[in-house]
């Protein structure tokens, strides 16, 4: 049977040694994760186009190294680490972080009658001002829904370092957000 006519449910993930089984297993694991990975990359990089490139690069790298994955149940963490490292490389390679509309990256647009758009805009600007390592910690924790231990594992940092970056990142976010809310016409309701 060809791999094109094969339903993913019919091919066990344990058949990774066969080309069709390897491809089906990768597709099944990656498909469940790509939307969330794109959202995370969008927040980290601040650019929808760059996030698309980063996710594609991570998928290509993951496919090339898929044989190295020992536990398919850990695919999400393994893929996230590849993606986060790729995003870090991209952030190091540029001086300025470009902004992305968080409402577009995280939720579909909805009509705003409560003034939440101004708050999202202030948050977006505040996130863009964070140093890359703090932004990474905040994005993984609050947009990627990762525990502190998972963030430490993904970034290769000590738990104390992750806690510190998260603390100072949140402190800077609060200060920038509060300052934006005090400015006339910006972030006010």
């Amino acid at each position: 049977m060809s791999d094109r006519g094969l339903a993913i449910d019919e091919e066990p993930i344990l058949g990774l040694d066969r080309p069709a089984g390897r491809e089906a297993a990768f597709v099944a694991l990656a498909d469940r994760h790509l939307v969330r990975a794109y959202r995370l990359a969008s927040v980290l990089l601040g650019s929808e186009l760059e996030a698309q490139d980063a996710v594609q690069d991570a998928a290509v790298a993951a496919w090339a190294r898929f044989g190295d994955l020992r536990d398919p149940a850990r695919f999400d963490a393994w893929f996230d680490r590849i993606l986060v490292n790729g995003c870090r490389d991209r952030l190091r390679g540029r001086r300025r972080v470009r902004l992305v509309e968080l409402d577009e990256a995280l939720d579909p647009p909805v009509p705003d009658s409560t003034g939440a758009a101004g708050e999202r805009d202030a948050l977006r600007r505040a996130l863009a001002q964070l140093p890359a390592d703090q932004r990474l910690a905040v994005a993984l924790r609050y947009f990627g829904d990762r525990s502190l231990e998972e963030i430490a594992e993904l970034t290769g940092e000590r738990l104390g370092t992750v806690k510190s970056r998260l603390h100072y990142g949140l402190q800077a976010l609060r200060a920038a957000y509060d300052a934006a809310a005090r400015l006339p016409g910006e972030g006010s309701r």
Side-chain angles (χ1 to χ4, degrees), residues 15-173:
L16 297 178
D17 55 338
R18 296 188 314 269
R22 181 176 186 259
E23 181 179 339
F26 182 80
V27 168
L29 292 167
D31 276 351
R32 293 188 299 233
H33 191 65
L34 289 179
V35 171
R36 192 173 71 107
Y38 168 72
R39 288 178 180 161
L40 177 61
S42 293
V43 171
L44 292 175
L45 297 171
S47 165
E48 292 178 34
L49 292 175
E50 200 167 2
Q52 290 172 359
D53 288 345
V55 171
Q56 181 176 346
D57 291 348
V60 169
W63 171 249
R65 293 185 251 164
F66 191 55
D68 297 342
L69 179 63
R70 289 181 231 153
D71 183 6
R74 303 262 313 138
F75 180 83
D76 288 355
W78 178 75
F79 187 85
D80 278 352
R81 184 164 193 153
I82 293 170
L83 177 66
V84 165
N85 286 337
C87 288
R88 285 171 121 181
D89 291 344
R90 287 172 180 271
L91 288 170
R92 284 185 199 116
R94 64 182 189 197
R95 291 181 173 257
R96 257 188 82 214
V97 176
R98 283 171 267 160
L99 305 179
V100 66
E101 295 295 325
L102 286 180
D103 56 341
E104 292 175 18
L106 302 174
D107 295 312
V110 293
D112 180 27
S113 62
T114 64
E119 290 179 17
R120 277 193 305 271
D121 190 48
L123 177 61
R124 178 181 47 84
R125 285 192 307 263
L127 268 171
Q129 299 299 317
L130 290 180
D133 288 334
Q134 290 177 3
R135 185 176 186 181
L136 178 63
V138 169
L140 286 172
R141 179 72 179 111
Y142 295 103
F143 296 102
D145 199 28
R146 296 291 187 167
S147 70
L148 296 174
E149 292 78 13
E150 289 173 321
I151 296 169
E153 183 181 332
L154 284 171
T155 60
E157 302 288 347
R158 293 186 339 230
L159 183 60
T161 302
V162 170
K163 288 179 180 180
S164 175
R165 288 181 179 162
L166 187 59
H167 171 78
Y168 288 112
L170 290 174
Q171 191 175 39
L173 275 177

Side-chain angles (χ1 to χ4, degrees), residues 118 122 125 175-189:
R125 285 192 307 263
Y177 185 77
D178 289 345
R182 285 190 299 271
L183 293 174
E186 289 189 33
S188 59
R189 292 175 213 199

